[in-house]
């Protein structure tokens, strides 16, 4: 199995609902360093998993839709707790739509919220 | 599949028995930067894999039991080679006991002993 | 010259005023991984620059005052652009007050806002 | 499942054939920071996955065969696009030959070509 | 003293002349992860050292002129050993020309050629 | 001003004397990831600060003298608290002796003891 990963980042504001979140129930924010890993059983005719330029552009487009926003006011997230885990899935699902038809098998998205905590979501394509 | 990872560290002394270990048969020590990854097929009602505060506290408790000790003198490790691999399992097994009943599916513990070497142990819950 | 550095982090929301900030004029947020470096010409009688536990506690207290907050609504920052540079100075100045009288010569605070950008402020003590 | 990883690096020149590679069709180069992960279901009698010294030596030998070379002129790569993905497989396959008979189950090789892009190849042993 | 740093990278081929370089006398290549640090005694009216977008764009332009090239064939480097140290200066000097007149005091450029080696050049502006 | 840095590591056991060290008064250990930075005002005739192979070899020799040892039993450290700061100076002073006569101006040694703490010592040559 082969994989290729590209890294980008996004900076957002949000708050989380639920006692479990403690002080993170207040409006605060995060930088997410985002790693998108594309998996494929065999390489294509060019010897690649995916055009790394295209992969970086697709990831950039997805994080660009979320960057420099207060997620509490985004209609897409009404009623959703925008936890790191949940956002990893949002990024993965949106990225999946952008790379459909390229012969990829699976996708993993990791959001690093600090030097001591990160979350991932993995899905097939 | 979702995952959440938290990072902590521990500093221990030990020696290893067996010719394969060369100079590491002498009493020496290590800082292990410890990553604990919790896996879960779907998110809970709060939209999380595990309460990250609780996960960090559980990991802190486990590494706290080992930190600032000479493992050669710990009764728990009598007759055991405390290799990085073996310690990864010890941390994972002890952590598993602390997070039982939280709906988690699996656990991976990685111990980084330097910038050029690390070991992991993965188990179900 | 000796130095000791400890690392912590804080997660905040804010917006920036001025055309130069482009989309960062919207309410968004950041994780700042914060490195505090303490400098001293010679070691004290214990052979240290500063008690690393005390240094970590002081840094934790300073970032704790800022963490999980919307800086746009903090009275301390009324009329101030809370840029990474400006926040590095705020953290350094607050930390300076907490470590006064310990014989330290200087302090550097670095705030890493992503894997591709960071800012520092250095001052004497 | 246990794993042990060792890190090394190699610096090579090459060019890539195909419109998809854009400016990388010109002769250029790369540093690949190479992580080799060895997997094994249970530890051996010494309590290890593999002798880390032997693993590092095997990886060093494999990257040494490629280092400080123009891959465009290496007979082994005639007619091959030496993409990061393809090179990850080359390193993994060559490493597999060197660690055969040691009871290992699988091998993953990751080549990091920059702070924002890397590729992996995973195979059984 | 304040500073702001931005990171980018470039991938080049080259060879080095002189016995001291051993196997690096052969045509090979490198990825340089490039950190450009801009220093300034006090912040401007926007509360910044330099517009981080402008800084990233300037650095991107400078590394873009060198990327995906064989430096042995670039007229600018005829008769020059393109060591990491020398390239750090080239990047710094070219960057200095692009940020002149912005009130900056000094510039440091660091080129990381692997996980175990890097070089810097610092100059006033 | 130019600089070149090389990285290596060492794994040692020790204990620290003094109430300020809390649990670190017990016999424990550490991995120190060691960065040695060599500074020079201008490059030599080969276009370098120092032969990076020679620098890596000198650093390797110095950390090799300390690696896989219990510093509490080393005669060189009798009566000395082997704090990270003090060890940074030991490494720097020993390295200085090995690179004397090479035209270098200064040396900085940084010992990283974990992902959240490190110490440095800087001296002229």
């Amino acid at each position: 199995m082969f994989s290729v990963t590209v890294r980008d980042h996004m900076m957002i504001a949000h708050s989380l609902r639920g006692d479990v979140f403690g002080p993170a129930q207040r409006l605060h924010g995060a930088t997410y360093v985002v790693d998108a890993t594309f998996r494929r059983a065999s390489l294509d005719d060019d010897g690649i998993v995916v055009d790394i330029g295209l992969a970086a552009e697709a990831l950039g487009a997805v994080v660009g839709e979320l960057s420099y926003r207060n997620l509490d006011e985004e209609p897409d997230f009404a009623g959703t707790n925008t936890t790191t885990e949940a956002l990893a899935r949002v990024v993965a699902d949106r990225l999946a739509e952008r790379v459909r038809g390229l012969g990829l098998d699976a996708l993993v998205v990791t959001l690093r919220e600090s030097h001591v905590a990160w979350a991932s979501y993995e899905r097939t394509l």
Side-chain angles (χ1 to χ4, degrees), chain A:
Chain A
M1 178 63 73
F2 292 91
S3 76
V4 161
T5 303
V6 291
R7 175 170 283 186
D8 206 324
H9 75 286
M10 59 188 190
M11 304 176 84
I12 58 91
H14 68 159
S15 61
L16 299 170
R17 281 166 298 104
D19 290 348
V20 72
F21 298 107
Q25 294 174 86
R26 300 198 298 252
L27 181 63
H28 65 288
T31 305
Y32 295 113
V33 175
V34 184
D35 293 338
T37 297
F38 303 90
R39 293 197 174 140
R40 188 175 176 137
S42 57
L43 299 182
D44 74 8
D45 291 347
D46 289 312
I48 56 176
V49 166
V50 61
D51 172 5
I52 208 170
L54 184 152
E57 198 176 2
L59 179 60
V62 171
V63 303
E65 289 169 1
L66 299 169
S67 288
Y68 299 116
R69 280 175 175 79
N70 176 2
L71 301 187
D72 291 358
E73 298 187 348
E74 293 292 305
D76 285 0
F77 299 120
T80 307
N81 251 350
T82 54
T83 61
T84 311
E85 297 92 316
L87 287 173
R89 182 174 190 165
V90 168
V91 171
D93 288 347
R94 291 185 178 186
L95 202 47
E97 289 187 25
R98 287 178 182 267
V99 298
R100 214 173 287 285
L102 298 178
L104 296 164
D105 292 313
L107 186 56
V108 189
V109 169
T110 301
L111 266 59
R112 298 178 189 271
E113 71 176 53
S114 75
H115 62 305
V116 292
W118 53 96
S120 290
Y121 177 69
E122 177 169 1
R123 54 163 285 175
T124 53
L125 280 172

